[in-house]
Amino acid sequence: MEIEPFELERWFARHEHGADVMLAESGVRSLPAEEFDLDPGELGYVIPTEGDPALRERVGGRYGRSTEEVLFTCGTQEANFVTFAALVDAHAVVVTPTYGSLHAVPAAFGEVTRVELSPPDWELDPDAVAEAIRPETDVVVINNPNNPTGRYHDAGTVEAVYDLAADADAYLLGDEVYRLLADEPRPPVASLGPRGVSTTGLSKSFGLAGLRFGWVAGPPEVTGAAARWKDYTTISPPKASQHVARQVLDREAELLERSREHAAANRERFRSFAERYGLDWYEGVGVNAFVGVPDGFADGRSFCERVVEEESVVLAPGESFGFPDRFRLGFGLPTGELREGLDRLGRFLDRHARD
């Protein structure tokens, strides 16, 4: 088994620690730990290692799934990894651009065919998915809402893709980590039928990335096989994280309202900035903007390198998503940090315009 380097994470590893402003963060600003009771009692393993049955039953209700059809994981990243390990034997169809692990991990287990979305609207055509599916296809993968573009595929489109996957005896996996940032979230993939699998977590929408708590919801043959892989990764979810997750779900409506209001206010700030500088981007759902590289730069990497060198601001080069003419900017961070980051980026663009 070989896996390609995670370019985005290696970029962050090079630049994030030493920079003043992280303007490529893809989630909503982090909540303070003091908002929660952090004491779960003793710090042993969660037993059973799939997660607390009562809490799994509660989560399963979101999808019309039973306790056995939910597996708790250390974030959405692990949820995706163990699910791909369980599902991919020969071939996966992956809608791109997307978060790097959603194509790199299945490519480590089998072959991947990409269905590429295109600007300006990044619309998904089910016919393109149909053309990519093969007799040996194990899973079709979508990220909805999409990272990095913000495109939120409508329910009819996702249902059409689900039907294509099911007709091919494949599964549809939906990474839905941004889904609850939508004012009116659409039905999750795991609720669409027996071949639907949803992965998500409490990081992006709730501002709890450091909690490292996520889950897989889907048919029992998938969650059971994923649990067997999890025996070789983290064994069980963190006990402290599961303890906080209960509190998060108790306060879900309040916390999501705060996140949505924060995202909306910051989106307006970035919208005004983009209009001022004539930046090309698609305004979707979530806290990511996939922005066209301004004229005068060879590609996204060279643009982002100059921004971090001259202004100590980290952006994400579009090369990490297969689009070298773009960069990703995250506007979900604390408002003061966003303002500072945009001020610095504006100074950089002003200098460039004078060159």
Side-chain angles (χ1 to χ4, degrees):
M1 174 183 172
E2 295 185 7
I3 193 165
E4 65 186 63
F6 202 146
E7 289 190 13
L8 183 63
E9 291 302 322
R10 292 303 90 210
W11 171 267
F12 289 160
R14 282 176 54 201
H15 297 293
E16 182 177 9
H17 178 70
D20 293 339
V21 182
M22 175 58 169
L23 200 53
E25 171 57 49
S26 59
V28 175
R29 52 84 190 99
S30 298
L31 291 176
E34 64 188 17
E35 288 202 22
F36 305 96
D37 171 18
L38 303 181
D39 184 3
E42 52 87 21
L43 287 174
Y45 285 107
V46 167
I47 304 296
T49 55
E50 293 88 345
D52 174 62
L55 190 58
R56 284 160 51 214
E57 180 181 22
R58 181 177 179 183
V59 170
R62 299 163 173 259
Y63 307 95
R65 297 280 182 177
S66 68
T67 303
E68 291 69 28
E69 295 175 301
V70 175
L71 172 68
F72 289 157
T73 60
C74 295
T76 311
Q77 182 79 300
E78 186 186 34
N80 287 326
F81 184 91
V82 295
T83 304
F84 287 135
L87 288 181
V88 181
D89 179 57
H91 181 245
V93 174
V94 183
V95 177
T96 58
T98 193
Y99 188 60
S101 64
L102 293 180
H103 58 79
V105 176
F109 290 98
E111 189 177 352
V112 167
T113 299
R114 300 190 188 199
V115 173
E116 200 80 89
L117 306 178
S118 299
D121 295 328
W122 309 100
E123 186 173 359
L124 175 58
D125 180 4
D127 289 340
V129 176
E131 292 177 6
I133 290 176
R134 305 175 184 173
E136 69 270 24
T137 298
D138 303 300
V139 62
V140 177
V141 184
I142 62 171
N143 174 209
N144 199 37
N146 178 266
N147 172 13
T149 69
R151 176 75 196 203
Y152 195 17
H153 306 300
D154 63 69
T157 297
V158 176
E159 289 168 5
V161 173
Y162 171 84
D163 289 341
L164 290 168
D167 289 346
D169 291 326
Y171 294 90
L172 176 62
L173 185 152
D175 179 323
E176 297 166 339
V177 74
Y178 292 99
R179 174 176 167 268
L180 295 181
L181 279 179
D183 291 333
E184 297 182 4
R186 291 164 188 154
V189 167
S191 72
L192 299 182
R195 310 295 287 191
V197 181
S198 291
T199 59
T200 191
L202 302 182
S203 58
K204 306 300 184 183
S205 298
F206 290 91
L208 293 166
L211 197 63
R212 309 313 305 141
F213 192 85
W215 58 78
V216 184
E221 70 272 15
V222 173
T223 54
R228 289 193 290 276
W229 273 93
K230 194 175 187 302
D231 289 341
Y232 290 96
T233 55
T234 59
I235 302 178
S236 77
K239 195 159 191 176
S241 298
Q242 182 177 261
H243 176 66
V244 174
R246 291 190 187 94
Q247 301 168 58
V248 173
L249 297 184
D250 286 343
R251 298 172 54 194
E252 180 172 2
E254 168 217 339
L255 295 176
L256 284 177
E257 181 179 9
R258 288 164 57 184
S259 289
R260 290 168 181 165
E261 289 177 353
H262 178 81
N266 278 7
R267 183 183 298 111
E268 175 60 33
R269 287 181 177 87
F270 178 70
R271 183 190 301 119
S272 298
F273 179 88
E275 289 174 355
R276 174 183 173 187
Y277 287 98
L279 299 178
D280 167 42
W281 70 299
Y282 172 83
E283 185 171 348
V285 170
V287 288
N288 293 310
F290 205 36
V291 186
V293 173
D295 292 340
F297 294 89
D299 51 37
R301 185 172 298 276
S302 62
F303 175 78
C304 292
E305 284 176 345
R306 284 191 58 180
V307 172
V308 73
E309 288 169 2
E310 296 182 25
E311 291 292 343
S312 198
V313 171
V314 178
L315 300 166
E319 284 87 343
S320 298
F321 303 94
F323 280 77
D325 61 341
R326 292 185 174 266
F327 65 91
R328 190 187 74 183
L329 180 149
F331 51 81
L333 66 168
T335 301
E337 294 179 28
L338 175 64
R339 186 180 295 113
E340 175 68 16
L342 293 180
D343 285 347
R344 293 184 183 214
L345 181 57
R347 290 200 301 265
F348 177 88
L349 294 174
D350 288 338
R351 288 197 304 273
H352 169 68
R354 293 196 299 270
D355 290 344

